[in-house]
């Protein structure tokens, strides 16, 4: 797929997108979410977004709103298209959507071993605010989560 010639589109995730989302999830996660995780998130009213290039789903993000904070639950790009700026593009648009819906900050967890994601989040202004011990399943037991946060709007005094 030639990204230079294709239009990127952010679209709300629907049940009809789940086959494509699950294929990306299975290809990117050692312990992937199942269909029920995505379907239940959509039914609960979480903001699910797809990134489409040339009409094809190539990435997604799932965000839960809690009062005035957006919690990035899951985000992924098709492995064949990673390292081309699509993850950054998707996350920036998802942050914009959260800001427009009244969220003041975004919170996320990331594996310490996921250096690419950590670098992207840091480049976009996320800062480490804590750790969750044994948060993620791992091949050798459990892996901690680094908790990161970023303001979405400046607070006016």
């Amino acid at each position: 797929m030639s990204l230079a010639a294709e239009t990127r589109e952010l679209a709300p995730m629907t049940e009809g997108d789940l086959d494509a989302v699950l294929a990306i999830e299975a290809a990117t996660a050692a312990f992937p979410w199942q269909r029920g995780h995505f379907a239940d998130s959509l039914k609960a009213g979480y903001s699910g977004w797809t990134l489409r290039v040339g009409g094809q789903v190539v990435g997604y993000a799932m965000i839960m709103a809690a009062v005035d904070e957006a919690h990035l639950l899951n985000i992924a790009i098709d492995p064949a298209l990673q390292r081309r700026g699509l993850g950054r593009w998707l996350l920036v648009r998802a942050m914009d959507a959260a800001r427009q819906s009244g969220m003041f900050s975004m919170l996320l967890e990331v594996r310490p071993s996921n250096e690419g994601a950590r670098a992207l989040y840091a480049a976009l202004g996320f800062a480490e605010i804590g750790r969750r011990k044994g948060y993620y399943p791992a091949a050798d037991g459990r892996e901690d989560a680094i908790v990161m946060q970023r303001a979405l709007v400046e607070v006016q005094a």
Side-chain angles (χ1 to χ4, degrees), residues 23-81:
I24 295 167
E25 177 72 359
T28 58
F31 298 89
W33 278 23
Q34 302 302 307
R35 181 178 292 272
H37 293 109
F38 288 101
D40 290 348
S41 294
L42 291 174
K43 286 178 188 157
Y46 297 173
S47 296
W49 298 99
T50 59
L51 165 56
R52 297 170 189 273
V53 176
Q56 189 175 7
V57 174
V58 300
Y60 60 85
M62 184 65 70
I63 300 170
M64 175 182 72
V67 187
D68 59 0
E69 182 172 75
H71 189 157
L72 180 66
L73 300 175
N74 199 334
I75 187 168
I77 299 295
D78 181 325
L81 299 173

Side-chain angles (χ1 to χ4, degrees), residues 79-146:
L81 299 173
Q82 290 179 357
R83 306 260 183 235
R84 300 182 189 191
L86 293 174
R88 173 185 291 270
W89 188 94
L90 175 57
L91 184 52
V92 167
R93 272 43 184 200
M95 290 187 314
D96 286 343
R99 181 183 306 109
Q100 291 170 11
S101 66
M103 302 294 108
F104 289 100
S105 66
M106 183 172 277
L107 178 80
L108 60 85
E109 291 90 9
V110 62
R111 291 175 183 268
S113 61
N114 192 343
E115 294 176 8
R118 289 175 48 210
L120 172 63
Y121 300 144
L124 289 174
F126 284 85
E128 182 174 340
I129 62 167
R131 294 230 174 192
R132 299 190 200 281
K133 295 289 180 196
Y135 186 79
Y136 291 111
D140 58 353
R142 306 290 298 178
E143 184 175 4
D144 292 351
I146 296 172

